[in-house]
Amino acid sequence: MSTAIRVLVIEDDPVAADAHTLYVNRVPGFTVTATTHSRAEAVRALDRATAEGAPVDLLLLDLHLPDGHGLHLVRSLRAAGHRADVIAVTSARDLAVVREGVSLGVIQYVLKPFTFPTLRDRLVRYAEFRTASESGEASGQEEVDRALATLRAPQPAVLPKGLSAPTLESVIQTLRRSPDGTTATEAAATIGISRITARRYLEHLVDTGRAARAPQYGQIGRPELQYRWTTRP
């Protein structure tokens, strides 16, 4: 893509905003034009970008902002003539909100917390959709269906035999709450599973690129080699 897709990050949590900005800038073909923390800041950034002749293409929008709901922002932007596409990021799981967002032109939802690969997948699919939709008139229904299909998230991968999605999610949350990482023994105690089981889940996360493993030495009373797992963005 010759011109980078310009993204405005709108997120009230400064730590999350920095992470989202970092994620977007790591995806080839995308660039963050500004990072804002409220509806008012977002409107000013959008107006400034338009005035400078480089309008924003995509909003990465948190729905819970300190000065109003994110969908209220989208509604006011549409009324003011802003046509930027929207990917909503939210911890809310209310399908009525999803339905309202679709009616306002929200093209993707990403549930918090999410990892870099999750957002990267959505952004790549969005870029493919833009390319398809800018190619001119569709030759028929099949081409329209193909263009829309690019926005759909892939089906979740099948877990290895013996692993369950709820336990995997518990392991992921345990890792995220452990800034210094966790051992299999610590994870097992937190979740209430055996150390061997915890290690299987942690190794699965390493295999799928969602965690990193590093050796640690010198534990008193534990001379054997130990490992500590950390989340990978």
Side-chain angles (χ1 to χ4, degrees):
M1 191 172 299
S2 57
T3 303
I5 295 173
R6 296 178 291 272
V7 181
L8 174 63
V9 172
I10 310 169
E11 166 63 59
D12 70 323
D13 182 343
V15 174
D18 289 344
H20 297 172
T21 299
L22 175 66
Y23 285 176
V24 173
N25 283 330
R26 285 174 61 185
V27 181
F30 289 83
T31 184
V32 173
T33 61
T35 302
T36 60
H37 307 289
S38 67
R39 287 179 59 184
E41 284 185 31
V43 170
R44 289 195 294 270
L46 283 164
D47 288 341
R48 183 168 58 250
T50 301
E52 293 172 353
V56 170
D57 301 307
L58 178 66
L59 309 181
L60 190 63
L61 173 65
D62 177 24
L63 293 187
H64 296 288
L65 300 171
D67 52 353
H69 198 278
L71 292 185
H72 297 164
L73 169 62
V74 177
R75 187 177 291 108
S76 64
L77 292 177
R78 296 295 184 243
H82 289 289
R83 301 323 283 155
D85 293 318
V86 180
I87 294 179
V89 292
T90 178
S91 56
R93 286 159 170 77
D94 187 345
L95 291 179
V97 174
V98 174
R99 185 168 62 248
E100 182 182 0
V102 170
S103 72
L104 293 171
V106 176
I107 60 171
Q108 293 261 17
Y109 273 82
V110 182
L111 291 179
K112 296 179 179 179
F114 55 85
T115 61
F116 170 64
T118 297
L119 182 60
R120 178 184 57 199
D121 174 78
R122 300 306 192 277
L123 293 176
V124 169
R125 288 173 179 277
Y126 170 71
E128 292 173 353
F129 172 73
R130 275 179 64 95
T131 300
S133 62
E134 291 173 353
S135 61
E137 186 173 344
S139 59
Q141 183 68 49
E142 189 174 318
E143 189 170 344
V144 172
D145 291 342
R146 277 200 306 270
L148 291 174
T150 60
L151 288 174
R152 297 179 192 145
Q155 294 296 316
V158 177
L159 290 175
K161 186 176 180 180
L163 302 189
S164 72
T167 303
L168 178 62
E169 182 61 25
S170 295
V171 174
I172 292 172
Q173 293 304 322
T174 298
L175 271 177
R176 287 176 175 157
R177 290 192 294 266
S178 307
D180 297 325
T182 185
T183 65
T185 301
E186 292 166 348
T190 300
I191 301 165
I193 57 179
S194 72
R195 183 182 66 82
I196 294 174
T197 299
R199 177 159 184 155
R200 284 195 65 202
Y201 282 93
L202 291 165
E203 290 293 345
H204 172 70
L205 291 175
V206 172
D207 292 341
T208 55
R210 289 178 285 178
R213 180 188 61 221
Q216 61 177 21
Y217 303 92
Q219 292 188 357
I220 298 175
R222 300 289 299 264
E224 72 274 17
L225 176 63
Q226 299 290 304
Y227 289 98
R228 181 167 290 273
W229 284 262
T230 55
T231 55
R232 176 174 288 167

